[in-house]
Amino acid sequence: MRTMKLGCTHLEVPVVGIGCMRMDRLSQAEAERYIQTALELGANFFDHADIYGGGECEAKFAEAIHMNDDVRERIILQSKCGIRKGMYDFSKEHILEAVDGSLHRLRTDYLDVLLLHRPDALVEPEEVAEAFEILQTTGKVRYFGVSNHKPMQIELLKKYVHQPIVANQLQLSITNATMIAQGMNLNMGNEWAVDRDESVLDYCRIHDITIQPWSPFLYGFFEGVFLDNPKFPELNQKLDEIASRYGVSNVTIAIAWLLRHPAKMQPIIGTMNVDRLRASCQAADIQLTRQEWYEIYLAAGYQLP
């Protein structure tokens, strides 16, 4: 697996990360097989969140990987916190409690990366800074980032937080690529010119923040997978055409499209299907041409002004 630096750090991570949101749906044997396959492919970066399966996903992962000190040193663990039932919570107390809970379920004494999951309207950035300082000095968290955050929300955090923000996990796929489309539609009157993201893509590139696309195979907000979906005939025809050219699957090309972007993104794949896992990781070896990238972009329904 090809690797990259995470954000401004020296931490080497695989260019494809493994999302564990659905791991609670697997049996013990299925989870063991899935994790072992990922490790064999060099995909040793595992993304969690305290709310995934109500904590069951973290617990099942630790059990399935047979967590011990030797195993822990061979993997990279990222988790997220801040979503609670009916609210978001970035209070110092909740962040600290959430991390302790994740560490307990994952059977480890540290996270490589902690992300704040979704922006809290009542965030007190001073409290976040205090929590981060405690987590870093106690060795419980090595690096920090955010998820679903706009540039000014990150700037507000950075006013108080001393640690660098190394990642921003954002919804991004071929069919959910407004953050890419709007950059090419300045001063235009079409729907792609609407700025919904505050130029978050450019902001993250400027500040060495790794974008981690989540749900890279989905369209809408968890509406479904666009691959082999009759709602997207032109897109799937183009993906199949390019996949045939490279001798890979359309899954591989969908991830390769994200990896081709010079922002050096790290897609987080959430599939629990071993074959799709293999196909996704194969994208690390595919370099789409500029023409192929734009052909896929246009086939998804976007337009060039």
Side-chain angles (χ1 to χ4, degrees), residues 27-90:
S27 67
Q28 175 72 11
E30 289 171 334
E32 289 178 354
R33 177 173 177 245
Y34 181 88
I35 293 170
Q36 183 58 38
T37 301
L39 294 175
E40 290 171 357
L41 294 168
N44 67 337
F45 184 103
F46 297 95
D47 173 73
H48 294 271
D50 58 350
I51 64 162
Y52 291 167
E56 179 60 27
C57 293
E58 291 178 324
K60 175 158 284 187
F61 172 85
E63 184 177 359
I65 202 171
H66 305 287
M67 186 68 79
N68 57 43
D69 290 344
D70 290 337
V71 169
R72 180 65 185 91
E73 290 307 306
R74 303 201 318 268
I75 64 175
I76 302 168
L77 288 180
Q78 172 175 281
S79 196
K80 301 182 289 292
C81 71
I83 298 180
R84 302 178 66 182
K85 186 176 182 179
M87 70 176 78
Y88 300 137
D89 189 349
F90 286 177

Side-chain angles (χ1 to χ4, degrees), residues 16-264:
V16 176
I18 307 301
C20 299
M21 185 173 74
R22 300 177 179 87
M23 188 156 288
D24 60 326
R25 303 177 187 179
L26 302 182
S27 67
Q28 175 72 11
E30 289 171 334
E32 289 178 354
R33 177 173 177 245
Y34 181 88
I35 293 170
Q36 183 58 38
T37 301
L39 294 175
E40 290 171 357
L41 294 168
N44 67 337
F45 184 103
F46 297 95
D47 173 73
H48 294 271
D50 58 350
I51 64 162
Y52 291 167
E56 179 60 27
C57 293
E58 291 178 324
K60 175 158 284 187
F61 172 85
E63 184 177 359
I65 202 171
H66 305 287
M67 186 68 79
N68 57 43
D69 290 344
D70 290 337
V71 169
R72 180 65 185 91
E73 290 307 306
R74 303 201 318 268
I75 64 175
I76 302 168
L77 288 180
Q78 172 175 281
S79 196
K80 301 182 289 292
C81 71
I83 298 180
R84 302 178 66 182
K85 186 176 182 179
M87 70 176 78
Y88 300 137
D89 189 349
F90 286 177
S91 66
K92 173 185 173 182
E93 179 183 17
H94 178 68
I95 292 172
L96 296 177
E97 288 181 355
V99 170
D100 283 342
S102 289
L103 294 178
H104 175 73
R105 290 186 293 272
L106 289 167
R107 302 181 192 175
T108 182
D109 55 6
Y110 72 96
L111 294 174
D112 293 284
V113 188
L114 173 70
L115 305 184
L116 300 178
H117 207 158
R118 278 197 175 274
D120 175 13
L122 302 182
V123 61
E124 301 275 1
E126 301 92 334
E127 284 196 35
V128 175
E130 290 177 13
F132 281 11
E133 195 67 25
I134 292 171
L135 292 171
Q136 185 179 58
T137 56
T138 57
K140 293 182 178 181
V141 177
R142 296 184 173 178
Y143 301 104
F144 300 86
V146 295
S147 180
N148 306 300
H149 275 59
K150 292 184 176 183
M152 288 302 102
Q153 293 169 327
I154 297 175
E155 284 295 306
L156 178 60
L157 289 174
K158 287 169 63 176
K159 181 178 179 181
Y160 300 92
V161 171
H162 300 301
Q163 296 79 9
I165 301 299
V166 304
N168 190 5
Q169 197 167 118
L170 299 165
Q171 184 178 19
L172 178 60
S173 69
I174 297 171
T175 52
N176 285 348
T178 55
M179 70 178 70
I180 295 175
Q182 69 184 32
M184 292 185 284
N185 285 273
L186 180 67
N187 290 333
M188 303 304 295
N190 57 44
E191 61 179 302
W192 312 120
V194 179
D195 187 353
R196 297 180 174 88
D197 308 294
E198 294 182 3
S199 297
V200 68
L201 174 58
D202 296 326
Y203 174 87
C204 288
R205 293 182 72 181
I206 290 169
H207 293 279
D208 294 322
I209 298 172
T210 295
I211 290 177
Q212 296 177 331
W214 57 265
S215 292
F217 304 120
L218 297 188
Y219 69 93
F221 189 68
F222 295 102
E223 291 183 46
V225 175
F226 60 80
L227 294 172
D228 302 318
N229 189 321
K231 289 185 177 181
F232 304 94
E234 186 177 349
L235 174 58
N236 279 289
Q237 181 180 357
K238 179 57 63 175
L239 289 172
D240 290 344
E241 172 192 320
I242 296 175
S244 177
R245 188 179 305 156
Y246 285 91
V248 297
S249 75
N250 57 359
V251 171
T252 304
I253 299 302
I255 297 299
W257 188 82
L258 293 170
L259 294 178
R260 176 61 178 83
H261 196 282
K264 299 179 181 178

